Amino acid sequence: MKLPNGEIVISDMNPSDLRHLIQTGEGTFLEFKKTVPAPAKIAREIAAFANTSGGTILIGVEDNKQITGIRSYFEEEFLLQEAAQKLCVPAVQIYIELVHLPDTDVMVVRVPEAKKKPVYLKGKKKRQVFVRFQDESVLASDEQTEILKQQYSDTGVTFEYGKHEQMLFRYLNEYGEINVQKFSELINVTTYRASKILVNLVSAGILKLFRKSEKDYFTFANPVK
């Protein structure tokens, strides 16, 4: 891995391990890049992994699993550190290793899960939050962002079991899932208010958020038997 003093450490991963990892394909914890793109683009991948459960980026591997290798370690490493340290807020400490193959090298970039979430990506107009969903890094919804904030906040989450919550639980018992728009209509409040209630219930461990057809839905964290 790349140490603070700039020394390059050869990865413990051997070529066989690398090829096996590549064959698993891109997913929640693995991303392929032929080369390091512009810092803003690779920063999105780094932030998304940090905001989810961590992951690995292989530099020198195409989407079709073909190994092309890297051209310049120091150029690629500079762009990666620029992205992780200057475009991610707070900065993300990444770990870079090098796997030697007979004809080329592949960079293995380890991105740990952030201890403090969310990790924001600097933008021209505003900061954004990205998360990992299947094999993509996607823009987090307002609800996902708020859940990350609350889960990693020093203050606790409180909620009251009122008529809105009662209506919600009855609906979930019958239909299993609900989104913000449907919940706002169900209890006749603004989507902002509906979102706040759902987010608080997720943060309290009563509900969980999941993504389906590019939309956020909520269901019981522990299904009612």
Side-chain angles (χ1 to χ4, degrees):
M1 67 182 63
K2 185 74 180 322
L3 299 178
N5 62 9
E7 180 182 355
I8 303 171
V9 176
I10 304 303
S11 174
D12 291 334
M13 183 183 297
N14 60 44
S16 178
D17 292 335
L18 175 65
R19 290 190 173 91
H20 178 74
L21 178 62
I22 292 170
Q23 287 308 308
T24 65
E26 292 182 302
T28 306
F29 307 101
L30 185 62
E31 176 75 19
F32 300 156
K33 294 292 182 187
K34 182 177 180 180
T35 61
V36 177
K41 291 184 178 181
I42 197 66
R44 181 175 66 181
E45 312 288 358
I46 293 171
F49 277 129
N51 279 327
T52 312
S53 301
T56 301
I57 305 172
L58 299 181
I59 311 297
V61 180
E62 297 200 44
D63 291 344
N64 63 4
K65 303 179 183 179
Q66 181 182 354
I67 299 174
T68 54
I70 60 172
R71 290 173 295 180
S72 170
Y73 174 89
F74 293 103
E75 180 180 338
E76 308 277 27
E77 190 266 341
F78 174 81
L79 294 173
L80 285 164
Q81 295 294 356
E82 185 85 359
Q85 298 296 319
K86 295 185 178 180
L87 296 182
C88 293
V89 181
V92 176
Q93 180 63 59
I94 58 176
Y95 302 91
I96 304 174
E97 305 172 2
L98 200 60
V99 177
H100 285 314
L101 299 174
D103 301 319
T104 189
D105 297 324
V106 171
M107 292 175 72
V108 180
V109 184
R110 311 281 189 183
V111 182
E113 181 177 0
K115 295 180 179 179
K116 182 76 173 179
K117 299 178 185 179
V119 172
Y120 292 90
L121 179 64
K122 287 183 179 179
K124 293 182 179 179
K125 295 184 178 179
K126 66 176 183 178
R127 298 187 303 181
Q128 297 177 309
V129 175
F130 285 85
V131 293
R132 196 73 181 170
F133 177 67
Q134 296 178 353
D135 61 350
E136 294 183 312
S137 297
V138 299
L139 186 65
S141 65
D142 292 340
E143 287 72 35
Q144 286 176 307
T145 301
E146 285 303 314
I147 289 167
L148 287 174
K149 287 180 181 178
Q150 290 192 11
Q151 288 179 338
Y152 291 85
S153 172
D154 295 330
T155 59
V157 177
T158 59
F159 73 95
E160 66 176 60
Y161 183 65
K163 63 177 183 180
H164 292 157
E165 287 76 14
Q166 292 174 18
M167 293 174 68
L168 170 64
F169 295 164
R170 284 199 296 268
Y171 184 93
L172 289 177
N173 279 327
E174 184 171 356
Y175 297 103
E177 62 189 46
I178 197 168
N179 58 31
V180 171
Q181 182 63 43
K182 182 62 181 179
F183 184 44
S184 71
E185 295 170 358
L186 179 69
I187 62 175
N188 194 28
V189 300
T190 64
T191 53
Y192 175 80
R193 175 61 182 151
S195 174
K196 292 282 287 185
I197 294 172
L198 291 169
V199 165
N200 282 342
L201 289 170
V202 172
S203 298
I206 297 170
L207 300 183
K208 67 178 179 181
L209 179 151
F210 68 97
R211 195 173 180 86
K212 182 177 70 172
S213 302
E214 300 184 357
K215 289 184 178 181
D216 286 343
Y217 288 85
F218 298 81
T219 189
F220 285 118
N222 298 301
V224 178
K225 296 181 180 180

